[in-house]
Amino acid sequence: MAEVEIGVAKRARRVYAFDDVAIVPSRRTRDPENVSVTWQIDAFTFDTPILAAPMDSVVSPATAIEIGKLGGLGVLDLEGLWTRYEDPEPLLAEIRSLPVESATQRMQQIYSEPVKAELIRDRLAEIRTAGVVVAGALSPQRTQQFYETVLAAGVDVFVIRGTTVSAEHVAKQREPLNLKKFIYELDVPVIVGGAATYTAALHLMRTGAAGVLVGFGGGAASTTRAVTGIHAPMATAVADVAGARRDYMDESGGRYVHVIADGGLGTSGDIVKAIACGADAVMLGTALARSSEAPGGGWHWGAEAHHPELPRGHRVQVGTVGSLQEVLYGPATVADGTANLIGALRRSMATTGYSDLKEFQRVEVVVAPYRLH
């Protein structure tokens, strides 16, 4: 890819966000009912390629169950309010009502309560009892401490999710998590991330991960770019990681690692473009936080918003557009891409003539920057 000159001493690669690209129809079209949006990872098959992000404003045990029944995968944050407090509902209500000027500080206080192993066990057991696929997420820092509890509780899919996750984390204060050894010893598929580059993703794939999350600081509630100067425009990041998947398949003799876009997916159009750029599935935060069942009640925040030392996110008001059913499957009563996400994906695939998600990854994409004026 051609570089541009920032100045005499610095050159940079031109990269693209989802808003910078567009999908081009082909000569063939299909009926939307004749396309498949099913997604399979390891032994688990889902009706939709949707994972609900492990964020307290998005996933509770109840919403994880509902999302599972609707054909997606709800990932519970095993370091969130549900594993810190026996009854987090009053605290969720308090977070929703906090004045802007004191929200970050008060959230830091609320999340200073320790994570409790028995609550991890109980929350995962609640989801398992409902008969849906059980998924939980820990940060790399907490994985060593709690993974045995998570596995004993019967998790089906284990997610290691951080702002960025590398296969070669360096730490002097503690023994870093050896991802390759850790994944090798587990009997469940592990999804890791985020990664934002070809090289980082390739290294994560070599650890034995079943899926790699792609994204860095791109969500609606994130201020990572403003705080640290780090950001990964998602169209390029997904395409780069998809390239790593292709090369790893050759290197490993055919082992397929799923690419899961995670961040910057606020509308159905973003979801469509993520898959067009090479993603197998998408992890949604903001899009599902807009549902009436979401624990955030129209508000949205991530773990970065209450980091004890360097907060890199806000609690943001995203509103409510409908039930989870309506957000995922419609009918939509708005025309802005926030409802009937799966219907939009089906229509885009049908309009361009593709019958399943893997085929749709080959659709033609053009650079067509779009800016609202």
Side-chain angles (χ1 to χ4, degrees):
M1 188 178 292
E3 291 186 334
V4 296
E5 185 177 286
I6 304 299
V8 173
K10 182 69 72 172
R11 299 184 68 83
R13 185 171 66 130
R14 178 72 172 93
V15 297
Y16 302 95
F18 290 137
D19 279 348
D20 296 319
V21 300
I23 294 164
V24 180
S26 66
R27 63 182 177 84
R28 177 182 296 146
T29 58
R30 296 178 184 273
D31 192 293
E33 280 70 45
N34 293 336
V35 302
S36 170
V37 294
T38 60
W39 174 60
Q40 180 175 349
I41 184 169
D42 203 72
F44 305 104
T45 300
F46 301 93
D47 293 339
T48 71
I50 303 293
L51 296 87
M55 306 169 82
D56 278 340
S57 55
V58 180
V59 179
S60 65
T63 54
I65 293 167
E66 181 65 15
I67 290 163
K69 290 180 177 179
L70 289 171
L73 178 63
V75 184
L76 185 67
D77 180 6
L78 302 180
E79 300 172 41
L81 295 178
W82 296 92
T83 60
R84 296 174 190 262
Y85 296 92
E86 188 69 43
D87 179 12
E89 293 291 355
L91 294 159
L92 287 165
E94 181 183 353
I95 290 173
R96 292 192 293 265
S97 66
L98 289 171
V100 173
E101 60 273 13
S102 61
T104 298
Q105 185 176 23
R106 177 56 184 146
M107 288 172 71
Q108 288 173 318
Q109 294 169 349
I110 290 171
Y111 280 91
S112 66
E113 179 74 15
V115 174
K116 300 172 179 62
E118 63 272 18
L119 288 179
I120 291 178
R121 179 199 64 210
D122 293 347
R123 303 311 188 196
L124 292 177
E126 181 180 346
I127 300 170
R128 173 163 293 286
T129 300
V132 299
V133 178
V134 183
L138 289 171
S139 65
Q141 297 81 6
R142 301 260 192 175
T143 296
Q144 291 278 35
Q145 182 180 0
F146 290 115
Y147 83 91
E148 290 180 341
T149 300
V150 174
L151 294 178
V155 74
D156 296 312
V157 178
F158 188 60
V159 178
I160 302 174
R161 185 179 189 256
T163 305
T164 186
V165 176
S166 70
E168 301 179 10
H169 180 68
V170 178
K172 293 182 179 179
Q173 294 80 14
R174 60 182 182 273
E175 185 68 23
L177 177 67
N178 185 326
L179 269 178
K180 188 169 186 176
K181 180 176 183 292
F182 176 79
I183 292 173
Y184 179 78
E185 293 175 352
L186 296 185
D187 291 328
V188 300
V190 180
I191 297 171
V192 298
T197 66
Y198 171 96
T199 302
L202 186 59
H203 285 203
L204 287 178
M205 291 171 185
R206 288 169 177 164
T207 67
V212 172
L213 299 171
V214 184
F216 191 101
S222 174
T223 60
T224 297
R225 183 176 185 176
V227 174
T228 67
I230 302 173
H231 177 59
M234 284 293 286
T236 297
V238 171
D240 281 349
V241 175
R245 174 187 61 206
R246 176 200 61 209
D247 292 348
Y248 178 69
M249 282 186 70
D250 292 340
E251 173 188 303
S252 63
R255 184 173 182 271
Y256 191 91
V257 179
H258 291 264
V259 173
I260 302 167
D262 179 16
L265 298 154
T267 66
S268 55
D270 295 329
I271 297 168
V272 171
K273 293 176 188 180
I275 295 172
C277 287
D280 298 287
V282 295
M283 178 171 274
L284 302 181
T286 304
L288 299 182
R290 298 188 185 109
S291 73
S292 56
E293 295 97 324
W299 293 85
H300 183 44
W301 64 91
E304 298 87 356
H306 50 77
H307 190 281
E309 298 168 1
L310 187 67
R312 301 180 301 283
H314 289 309
R315 178 207 57 168
V316 296
Q317 191 165 18
V318 296
T320 300
V321 299
S323 67
L324 273 170
Q325 170 76 37
E326 291 166 332
V327 168
L328 289 175
Y329 298 109
T333 57
V334 292
D336 57 4
T338 61
N340 199 0
L341 306 179
I342 301 305
L345 175 59
R346 282 184 175 278
R347 185 164 294 275
S348 295
M349 293 171 64
T351 301
T352 51
Y354 292 91
S355 62
D356 60 41
L357 297 174
K358 286 237 179 11
E359 280 191 4
F360 189 58
Q361 291 170 350
R362 302 198 300 265
V363 70
E364 182 180 355
V365 174
V366 296
V367 176
Y370 176 71
R371 296 288 181 267
L372 292 173
H373 297 289

